[in-house]
Amino acid sequence: MLECRELTVAYGQHRALDGVSLGIAPGEIVVILGANGAGKSTLLRAIAGLVPPAAASGIAIGGRPVAGLPPHEIVEAGLALVPEGRQLFGDLSVEENLLLGAYARRARAAERENLERVLALFPKLAERRAQVARTMSGGEQQMVAIGRALMSAPSVLMLDEPSLGLSPKLCTALFRTLAEVRRTGVGILLVEQNARQGLAIADRGYLLENGRIVGEGPAAALAQDPAVQKAYLGGAAATATGPEHAVERPSAQAAAPAVSAPPAAMPRFVPTPRADTLIPQSIDELARRAGEIQTEHVRAARGARATAAPIGAAHGIGTDTLSEALARIEAAAARARIREPEPKPRPASERGGASDADKGE
């Protein structure tokens, strides 16, 4: 139904896709697994005609070549894309968004039948046909986006990260709905970041790395492959590691996608400088120096007391007299340290002088 052969897309000198070949049969779900930047979204956009492929690329829908055609003609050929982010008409109602999906000529004749089919597939949309799309929850908006794509009566439905931002409960309901869509005969090409649930409903899968297909096989075999488990499923989920469980890949290096590479070394932690490193001396050094200065003053006082006796004796001064003088000096110094208040000045009359009142007379 959908066949891509040597699909190549370049952005300037960078090749986002390099010789990708894949196929989807009617009523089949195919999942594309790959790390961020591997080219998954570019693959869907190139098939839908939103990105021009290289001249040698081959894309066919139902045997009809569509490579290089404008997007609206590719829709007429039977392809519908549900883009990442939904891209609804937020100010229009649910029903108006759905009816816009039937604008293609191939879908106009069966517009009402397709609408009833979509509303039966999503009963919640039937309850909210008149609700403005932007007022709905993320899961409900995703239902509208998928329903709008189905309104074009596609033979191939492509979805880019449909479960992004949805709760686990809504994701389960979404994938259950996709399984029901498959029963109608529509082929589904799925790019999904939830690799576990994507493989659970898919028939086959492809591994995309740096714009190249590096592995493919049945979804059940991919889910059991140790390399796929390590890269996309959070580690080994099964104990089988023998060659009978391996998926066919072009090279051994293909089993280690970019996401499994060890992370780059973290930058060395540089602590924020302390405040005391921004001045010539540390706080501890300043405190130590202040203590030393105080100790020097004490020693100087003691030294003066020790030398006072011989000096006084040489001048005929008694030791007791010197001791009393030193005691008075120390007492005065102690009062100065505790900042004792100075004695109040005596009145002028007591000092023997005239008061201001006396001077005025």
Side-chain angles (χ1 to χ4, degrees), residues 157-356:
L157 176 65
M158 300 193 303
L159 302 101
D160 192 359
E161 305 284 7
S163 72
L164 190 64
L166 303 186
S167 67
K169 182 178 180 180
L170 288 177
C171 286
T172 301
L174 171 66
F175 286 112
R176 188 183 302 115
T177 301
L178 294 180
E180 294 179 9
V181 172
R182 169 178 53 186
R183 297 190 186 98
T184 66
V186 176
I188 298 176
L189 180 59
L190 177 65
V191 167
E192 176 53 48
Q193 47 95 21
N194 191 335
R196 191 176 302 278
Q197 285 196 321
L199 289 172
I201 67 167
D203 299 292
R204 293 187 299 111
Y206 292 89
L207 306 180
L208 188 65
E209 180 182 351
N210 296 326
R212 294 174 176 267
I213 297 294
V214 297
E216 62 178 294
L222 287 174
Q224 296 298 320
D225 185 82
V228 175
Q229 292 171 358
K230 182 178 180 180
Y232 308 110
L233 303 178
T239 58
T241 57
E244 66 274 14
H245 295 280
V247 179
E248 182 179 355
R249 286 179 291 274
S251 63
Q253 286 76 11
V259 293
S260 62
M266 295 293 291
R268 185 176 62 87
F269 173 72
V270 180
T272 303
R274 291 173 48 191
D276 56 5
T277 63
L278 303 178
I279 58 178
Q281 291 179 311
S282 67
I283 301 299
D284 294 339
E285 178 64 20
L286 291 176
R288 185 188 65 79
R289 182 57 183 158
E292 291 178 352
I293 293 174
Q294 184 178 8
T295 303
E296 290 174 2
H297 283 294
V298 173
R299 288 176 179 173
R302 290 177 179 174
R305 184 185 302 177
T307 57
I311 293 175
H315 291 81
I317 303 174
T319 304
D320 294 339
T321 302
L322 289 175
S323 298
E324 292 174 1
L326 289 173
R328 287 195 297 272
I329 293 172
E330 289 181 354
R335 286 196 300 273
R337 284 195 294 272
I338 64 175
R339 299 181 179 179
E340 291 184 350
E342 296 181 359
K344 296 181 179 180
R346 293 180 300 168
S349 59
E350 296 179 5
R351 296 197 306 269
S355 65
D356 292 340

Side-chain angles (χ1 to χ4, degrees), residues 2-8 19-23 53-60 65 67:
L2 172 65
E3 182 181 1
C4 297
R5 186 183 67 256
E6 296 296 323
L7 179 57
T8 300
V20 171
S21 297
L22 55 84
S57 302
I59 305 173

